[in-house]
Amino acid sequence: MKRKVLLTLLLCSFIFTASADEGMWLPSLISSRIKDMRSKGFRLTEKDIYDINRASLKDAVVLFGRGCTGELISPEGLLLTNHHCGYGAIQALSSLEHDYLTYGFWAQSRQGELPCEGLEVSFLVRMEDVTDRIATGQSEKEIIAAACKEGKGFYAQIENMYYGNQKFLFVYRRFTDVRLVGTPPSAIGKFGGDTDNWIWPRHTGDFSVFRIYAGADNEPADYSPQNKPYRPKRHFPISTKGVKEGDFTMIYGFPGNTQEYVISDAVDYIYNISDPMKIALRTKRLDIITKAQESDPKIRIQYAAKHASIANAWKKWQGEVLGIKRLGTLEKKLRYEQEFASWAASRPEYCHLLDSMKAAYNRNRGPYYIGELYAETVMTLELPKMAAMAAAGKSVVQLHKDFNLEVDRALAKAMLAEFVRLMPEGKLPEALEVKVAQFGSTDAYIDHIYNNSLCREAATAAQCDKSDPAAEFYAIVRKEYPSQYRVRNLSNLAEIQRWYRPYLKALMEWDGKRSFYPDANLTLRVAYGSVAGYEYADGEWHVPQTTIDGIIAKDNPEIYDYNVPQRLRDIYQSKDYGRHGVMIDGRKSVPVCFLATNHTTGGNSGSPIINGRGELIGINFDRTWRSTMSDVEFDPTICRNISVDIRYVLFVIDRIGGASYLFDEMTLK
Ligand code: ARG
Ligand code: GLU
């Protein structure tokens, strides 16, 4: 009895210390975190994470395509990533006869694996602090050129950390023969669709399987039937034991973009201006598209991908605004700056900093806002864009496949009206004002364009020239579009960004208690935390694990996003889970997704999530929408990343895909 109490106490204290962790750490500098990681359940060493002299976990992680992560899971180049990361490749391989998106695909042999044209993956060979080399006069170009010569398929980049206070060389090796091995049907890989996107509880089997091929010498080679499966230096063993609340987790991947150190002016812009504007504009676009989709199944399919991409950021921004409000980020930043200012006042090298930064924000926020307004309104319209392409001699036949004139016309009317309404005084293109005046209203001008453009139909589009009304409209708005202001964030504008280098240097001197980590910039990072639920709303606790029972509870053949594949229904009916069945809350079930506290962002999709022994327990694919302010401020009580449980991945490969032969090459623990 006493022992039991002690054990419970011990367990509780463990759960307590295994709390959330802010930070995306550079793997080569992970030694500074290793003590903390080990105290939270990590059993490996820093050399297991990153080592240039022998194989380490970094050799099992890849940058997948243009902005996802993937991981090696066999000595024969087998790779896992998300379904939504492989989506483009799977779509490109699909046709009416072979609709892999709808029905899934499983190569039944190596010969059956499908080459994906244009798909690449890159391994990090090494990273190196080159700050001093650059400071002493070596040019970045030279450093990069030398690194590229180190081996076949090598390329290199120098990336700023802490806004350039440190510069790191990243040397990568790129493989271009990547083949599709398998993917579940969308009804599993995209289960819940946009409805469940950014949402917990989640039941999406968001994974797909690829294989990297190499030349006979195991070096990168362009596609050839003679190529052999790539033999990686390292692959992840897979844990079949599962996870439970409190377990240590680590995510190894390529987070894309965060801005944790920006000053209040940047937060003010995001929170009060940019996000609200973009959310409102996208709400209008989504309303129009959704209504059209509901009226016509053809439009539903044509606009599915467009709807998904508009809705993804739209939902993210809503979470971000709520989160910033809830945390009081703006007020916190203001207070922080006040304290900083009084410290900096007596330091000539820093005392002017905040004023200079604020002045730079004041000069740039107006033009940046205009750039965002263009990008979210008139630049989104398809007919003008197609007309401009056609006038330049490019074919738009492909684009017409997913185009509906009336939907685009409705979008054009709504977006031009908003463009005019939201544009600051005197900033509308003069030529546009002339046109609107000539036709009497923005709607009438749009009707003129949409009634008369030769690009209305694929058959006549090739005759479009510069005098086409849609091409003319495009030229009018394109001419004044301030594309020089279209960088990812306001704070990334060169005139603002230059101040962050001394500012960060000053912060590191002043704020000694803070654990600094460089903002995400699509370089390899380590984040760690633990499996954990959270309080979603007052009195509403979300447990961190979902199961197949929840999939069936959502099942509805009438709703596209929740139409469970019949095969899965049958398996559920018979409860014949085979080796994949586990006891969860006293019933036999199959785990599906789980929540953890790792600090992640876009780009971490597809990242391996591993346990303390370095075994794969899942694949990261999302955050909860209430977490998304973590790109600006991380909150351990509420920020959660969402992973698909590796046990569900194995279940789907085996029972839905009939591809359990793949298990033979994996290291199942
Ligand atoms: N929210 C995830 C991310 O930011 C998943 C997006 C893809 N899924 C979707 N239903 N749209 O990329
Ligand atoms: N789905 C995101 C991606 O594609 C990850 C979600 C997030 O932003 O954390 O990278």
PDB file of all heavy atoms in Angstrom, residues 84 190 193-194 197-198 308 312 605 621-622, ligand 1:
ATOM      1  N   HIS A  84      -0.961  14.918 -46.568  1.00  0.00           N
ATOM      2  CA  HIS A  84      -1.091  16.251 -47.173  1.00  0.00           C
ATOM      3  C   HIS A  84       0.235  16.773 -47.716  1.00  0.00           C
ATOM      4  O   HIS A  84       0.239  17.696 -48.526  1.00  0.00           O
ATOM      5  CB  HIS A  84      -1.801  17.250 -46.226  1.00  0.00           C
ATOM      6  CG  HIS A  84      -0.952  17.866 -45.155  1.00  0.00           C
ATOM      7  ND1 HIS A  84      -0.917  17.414 -43.860  1.00  0.00           N
ATOM      8  CD2 HIS A  84      -0.122  18.928 -45.178  1.00  0.00           C
ATOM      9  CE1 HIS A  84      -0.106  18.161 -43.145  1.00  0.00           C
ATOM     10  NE2 HIS A  84       0.389  19.089 -43.927  1.00  0.00           N
ATOM     11  N   LYS A 190      -7.220  12.056 -45.297  1.00  0.00           N
ATOM     12  CA  LYS A 190      -7.716  13.429 -45.176  1.00  0.00           C
ATOM     13  C   LYS A 190      -9.033  13.417 -44.395  1.00  0.00           C
ATOM     14  O   LYS A 190      -9.835  14.348 -44.501  1.00  0.00           O
ATOM     15  CB  LYS A 190      -7.949  13.979 -46.593  1.00  0.00           C
ATOM     16  CG  LYS A 190      -7.718  15.466 -46.754  1.00  0.00           C
ATOM     17  CD  LYS A 190      -7.859  15.836 -48.233  1.00  0.00           C
ATOM     18  CE  LYS A 190      -7.766  17.312 -48.534  1.00  0.00           C
ATOM     19  NZ  LYS A 190      -8.518  18.240 -47.790  1.00  0.00           N
ATOM     20  N   GLY A 193     -11.302  16.241 -43.304  1.00  0.00           N
ATOM     21  CA  GLY A 193     -11.086  17.332 -44.265  1.00  0.00           C
ATOM     22  C   GLY A 193     -10.836  18.674 -43.596  1.00  0.00           C
ATOM     23  O   GLY A 193     -10.128  18.765 -42.595  1.00  0.00           O
ATOM     24  N   ASP A 194     -11.431  19.696 -44.189  1.00  0.00           N
ATOM     25  CA  ASP A 194     -11.272  21.036 -43.633  1.00  0.00           C
ATOM     26  C   ASP A 194     -12.083  21.237 -42.367  1.00  0.00           C
ATOM     27  O   ASP A 194     -11.774  22.097 -41.552  1.00  0.00           O
ATOM     28  CB  ASP A 194     -11.711  22.081 -44.659  1.00  0.00           C
ATOM     29  CG  ASP A 194     -10.585  22.368 -45.625  1.00  0.00           C
ATOM     30  OD1 ASP A 194      -9.422  22.147 -45.242  1.00  0.00           O
ATOM     31  OD2 ASP A 194     -10.872  22.805 -46.739  1.00  0.00           O
ATOM     32  N   ASN A 197      -9.749  20.206 -39.745  1.00  0.00           N
ATOM     33  CA  ASN A 197      -8.414  20.792 -39.816  1.00  0.00           C
ATOM     34  C   ASN A 197      -8.186  21.728 -38.623  1.00  0.00           C
ATOM     35  O   ASN A 197      -9.053  22.519 -38.289  1.00  0.00           O
ATOM     36  CB  ASN A 197      -8.285  21.563 -41.145  1.00  0.00           C
ATOM     37  CG  ASN A 197      -6.862  21.988 -41.437  1.00  0.00           C
ATOM     38  OD1 ASN A 197      -5.894  21.397 -40.946  1.00  0.00           O
ATOM     39  ND2 ASN A 197      -6.719  23.030 -42.248  1.00  0.00           N
ATOM     40  N   TRP A 198      -7.027  21.626 -37.980  1.00  0.00           N
ATOM     41  CA  TRP A 198      -6.655  22.402 -36.779  1.00  0.00           C
ATOM     42  C   TRP A 198      -7.500  22.039 -35.560  1.00  0.00           C
ATOM     43  O   TRP A 198      -7.528  22.791 -34.581  1.00  0.00           O
ATOM     44  CB  TRP A 198      -6.791  23.923 -36.991  1.00  0.00           C
ATOM     45  CG  TRP A 198      -6.004  24.516 -38.111  1.00  0.00           C
ATOM     46  CD1 TRP A 198      -6.511  25.010 -39.275  1.00  0.00           C
ATOM     47  CD2 TRP A 198      -4.588  24.742 -38.172  1.00  0.00           C
ATOM     48  NE1 TRP A 198      -5.498  25.500 -40.063  1.00  0.00           N
ATOM     49  CE2 TRP A 198      -4.313  25.357 -39.416  1.00  0.00           C
ATOM     50  CE3 TRP A 198      -3.528  24.473 -37.290  1.00  0.00           C
ATOM     51  CZ2 TRP A 198      -3.020  25.710 -39.808  1.00  0.00           C
ATOM     52  CZ3 TRP A 198      -2.247  24.836 -37.683  1.00  0.00           C
ATOM     53  CH2 TRP A 198      -2.001  25.442 -38.932  1.00  0.00           C
ATOM     54  N   ALA A 308      -9.523  24.258 -49.534  1.00  0.00           N
ATOM     55  CA  ALA A 308      -8.654  23.783 -48.452  1.00  0.00           C
ATOM     56  C   ALA A 308      -7.523  24.765 -48.185  1.00  0.00           C
ATOM     57  O   ALA A 308      -7.214  25.076 -47.034  1.00  0.00           O
ATOM     58  CB  ALA A 308      -8.090  22.407 -48.785  1.00  0.00           C
ATOM     59  N   ASN A 312      -7.158  26.906 -44.708  1.00  0.00           N
ATOM     60  CA  ASN A 312      -6.100  26.502 -43.775  1.00  0.00           C
ATOM     61  C   ASN A 312      -5.546  27.705 -43.006  1.00  0.00           C
ATOM     62  O   ASN A 312      -5.577  27.744 -41.778  1.00  0.00           O
ATOM     63  CB  ASN A 312      -4.991  25.767 -44.534  1.00  0.00           C
ATOM     64  CG  ASN A 312      -4.032  25.038 -43.600  1.00  0.00           C
ATOM     65  OD1 ASN A 312      -4.447  24.402 -42.635  1.00  0.00           O
ATOM     66  ND2 ASN A 312      -2.748  25.155 -43.868  1.00  0.00           N
ATOM     67  N   SER A 605       5.120  19.506 -40.553  1.00  0.00           N
ATOM     68  CA  SER A 605       4.257  18.447 -41.040  1.00  0.00           C
ATOM     69  C   SER A 605       5.112  17.304 -41.551  1.00  0.00           C
ATOM     70  O   SER A 605       6.057  17.532 -42.308  1.00  0.00           O
ATOM     71  CB  SER A 605       3.376  18.953 -42.171  1.00  0.00           C
ATOM     72  OG  SER A 605       2.216  19.498 -41.634  1.00  0.00           O
ATOM     73  N   PHE A 621       1.376  16.231 -37.709  1.00  0.00           N
ATOM     74  CA  PHE A 621       0.737  16.816 -38.895  1.00  0.00           C
ATOM     75  C   PHE A 621      -0.042  18.094 -38.639  1.00  0.00           C
ATOM     76  O   PHE A 621      -0.487  18.748 -39.583  1.00  0.00           O
ATOM     77  CB  PHE A 621      -0.150  15.793 -39.621  1.00  0.00           C
ATOM     78  CG  PHE A 621      -1.422  15.391 -38.893  1.00  0.00           C
ATOM     79  CD1 PHE A 621      -2.631  15.983 -39.217  1.00  0.00           C
ATOM     80  CD2 PHE A 621      -1.402  14.417 -37.917  1.00  0.00           C
ATOM     81  CE1 PHE A 621      -3.815  15.606 -38.574  1.00  0.00           C
ATOM     82  CE2 PHE A 621      -2.572  14.023 -37.260  1.00  0.00           C
ATOM     83  CZ  PHE A 621      -3.780  14.617 -37.585  1.00  0.00           C
ATOM     84  N   ASP A 622      -0.213  18.497 -37.404  1.00  0.00           N
ATOM     85  CA  ASP A 622      -1.030  19.694 -37.193  1.00  0.00           C
ATOM     86  C   ASP A 622      -0.815  20.239 -35.789  1.00  0.00           C
ATOM     87  O   ASP A 622      -0.124  19.632 -34.973  1.00  0.00           O
ATOM     88  CB  ASP A 622      -2.522  19.345 -37.403  1.00  0.00           C
ATOM     89  CG  ASP A 622      -3.340  20.526 -37.921  1.00  0.00           C
ATOM     90  OD1 ASP A 622      -2.774  21.616 -38.094  1.00  0.00           O
ATOM     91  OD2 ASP A 622      -4.548  20.345 -38.152  1.00  0.00           O
TER      92      ASP A 622
HETATM   93  N1  ARG B   1      -3.375  22.421 -40.756  1.00  0.00           N
HETATM   94  C1  ARG B   1      -2.358  21.582 -41.318  1.00  0.00           C
HETATM   95  C2  ARG B   1      -1.238  22.470 -41.874  1.00  0.00           C
HETATM   96  O1  ARG B   1      -1.160  23.577 -41.587  1.00  0.00           O
HETATM   97  C3  ARG B   1      -2.902  20.630 -42.315  1.00  0.00           C
HETATM   98  C4  ARG B   1      -3.319  21.195 -43.633  1.00  0.00           C
HETATM   99  C5  ARG B   1      -3.821  20.210 -44.627  1.00  0.00           C
HETATM  100  N2  ARG B   1      -5.130  19.663 -44.294  1.00  0.00           N
HETATM  101  C6  ARG B   1      -6.311  20.233 -44.630  1.00  0.00           C
HETATM  102  N3  ARG B   1      -7.434  19.664 -44.237  1.00  0.00           N
HETATM  103  N4  ARG B   1      -6.402  21.346 -45.313  1.00  0.00           N
HETATM  104  O2  ARG B   1      -0.648  22.434 -42.888  1.00  0.00           O
END
